[in-house]
Coordinates of all heavy atoms in Angstrom, one line a residue:
N103 N -7.4 3.0 12.2 CA -7.4 3.5 10.8 C -7.9 4.9 10.6 O -7.5 5.6 9.7 CB -8.1 2.5 9.9 CG -7.5 1.2 9.8 OD1 -6.6 0.9 10.6 ND2 -8.0 0.3 8.9
I104 N -8.9 5.3 11.5 CA -9.3 6.7 11.4 C -8.8 7.5 12.6 O -8.1 8.5 12.3 CB -10.9 6.8 11.4 CG1 -11.5 6.0 10.2 CG2 -11.3 8.2 11.4 CD1 -13.0 6.0 10.1
G105 N -8.9 7.1 13.8 CA -8.5 7.8 15.0 C -7.0 8.0 14.9 O -6.5 9.1 15.0
G106 N -6.2 7.0 14.6 CA -4.8 7.0 14.5 C -4.3 7.9 13.3 O -3.4 8.6 13.4
F107 N -5.0 7.7 12.3 CA -4.7 8.5 11.0 C -4.8 10.0 11.3 O -3.9 10.8 11.0 CB -5.7 8.1 9.9 CG -5.4 8.8 8.6 CD1 -4.6 8.3 7.7 CD2 -6.1 10.0 8.3 CE1 -4.3 8.9 6.5 CE2 -5.8 10.7 7.1 CZ -5.0 10.1 6.2
V108 N -5.9 10.4 11.9 CA -6.1 11.8 12.2 C -5.0 12.4 13.1 O -4.5 13.5 12.9 CB -7.5 12.1 12.8 CG1 -7.7 13.5 13.2 CG2 -8.6 11.7 11.7
K109 N -4.6 11.6 14.1 CA -3.6 12.0 15.0 C -2.3 12.2 14.3 O -1.6 13.2 14.5 CB -3.4 11.0 16.2 CG -4.7 11.1 17.1 CD -4.4 10.5 18.5 CE -5.6 10.7 19.4 NZ -6.5 9.6 19.5
M110 N -1.9 11.2 13.5 CA -0.7 11.3 12.7 C -0.7 12.4 11.8 O 0.3 13.2 11.6 CB -0.4 10.0 12.0 CG 1.0 9.8 11.5 SD 2.3 9.8 12.8 CE 3.1 11.4 12.5
L111 N -1.8 12.6 11.1 CA -1.9 13.7 10.1 C -1.8 15.1 10.8 O -1.2 16.0 10.4 CB -3.3 13.6 9.4 CG -3.6 14.6 8.3 CD1 -2.6 14.6 7.2 CD2 -5.0 14.3 7.7
H112 N -2.4 15.2 12.0 CA -2.4 16.4 12.7 C -1.0 16.7 13.2 O -0.5 17.9 13.1 CB -3.4 16.4 13.9 CG -3.6 17.7 14.5 ND1 -2.8 18.3 15.4 CD2 -4.6 18.6 14.3 CE1 -3.3 19.5 15.8 NE2 -4.4 19.7 15.1
A113 N -0.3 15.7 13.7 CA 1.1 15.9 14.2 C 2.0 16.3 13.0 O 2.8 17.2 13.2 CB 1.6 14.6 14.8
A114 N 1.7 15.7 11.8 CA 2.5 16.1 10.6 C 2.2 17.5 10.2 O 3.2 18.2 9.8 CB 2.2 15.1 9.5
A115 N 1.0 17.9 10.3 CA 0.7 19.3 9.9 C 1.3 20.3 10.9 O 1.9 21.3 10.5 CB -0.8 19.5 9.9
E116 N 1.3 19.9 12.1 CA 1.9 20.8 13.2 C 3.4 20.9 13.0 O 4.0 21.9 13.2 CB 1.6 20.1 14.6 CG 1.6 21.0 15.7 CD 1.3 20.2 17.0 OE1 1.9 19.1 17.2 OE2 0.4 20.7 17.7
A117 N 4.0 19.8 12.6 CA 5.5 19.8 12.4 C 5.9 20.3 11.1 O 7.1 20.4 10.7 CB 6.0 18.3 12.5
K118 N 4.9 20.7 10.2 CA 5.1 21.4 8.9 C 6.0 20.5 8.0 O 7.0 21.0 7.4 CB 5.7 22.8 9.1 CG 4.8 23.7 10.0 CD 5.0 25.2 9.6 CE 4.1 26.1 10.3 NZ 2.7 25.7 10.5
V119 N 5.6 19.3 7.9 CA 6.4 18.4 6.9 C 6.1 18.9 5.5 O 5.0 19.6 5.3 CB 6.0 16.9 7.1 CG1 6.2 16.4 8.5 CG2 4.5 16.7 6.7
K120 N 6.9 18.5 4.6 CA 6.7 19.0 3.2 C 5.5 18.3 2.5 O 4.8 18.9 1.7 CB 8.0 18.7 2.3 CG 9.2 19.6 2.8 CD 10.4 19.2 1.9 CE 11.6 19.9 2.4 NZ 12.8 19.3 2.0
R121 N 5.3 17.0 2.8 CA 4.2 16.3 2.3 C 3.9 15.0 3.1 O 4.8 14.4 3.6 CB 4.5 15.9 0.8 CG 3.2 15.7 0.0 CD 3.5 15.6 -1.5 NE 3.8 16.8 -2.2 CZ 4.4 16.9 -3.4 NH1 4.6 15.8 -4.0 NH2 4.6 18.0 -4.0
F122 N 2.6 14.8 3.2 CA 2.1 13.6 3.9 C 1.6 12.6 2.9 O 0.5 12.9 2.3 CB 1.0 14.1 4.9 CG 0.5 13.0 5.8 CD1 1.1 12.7 7.0 CD2 -0.7 12.3 5.5 CE1 0.6 11.7 7.9 CE2 -1.2 11.3 6.3 CZ -0.6 11.0 7.5

Side-chain angles (χ1 to χ4, degrees):
N103 297 6
I104 301 180
F107 181 90
V108 172
K109 289 197 173 99
M110 195 58 250
L111 181 58
H112 195 275
E116 202 180 50
K118 301 208 177 319
V119 302
K120 291 180 189 157
R121 206 171 280 167
F122 183 88

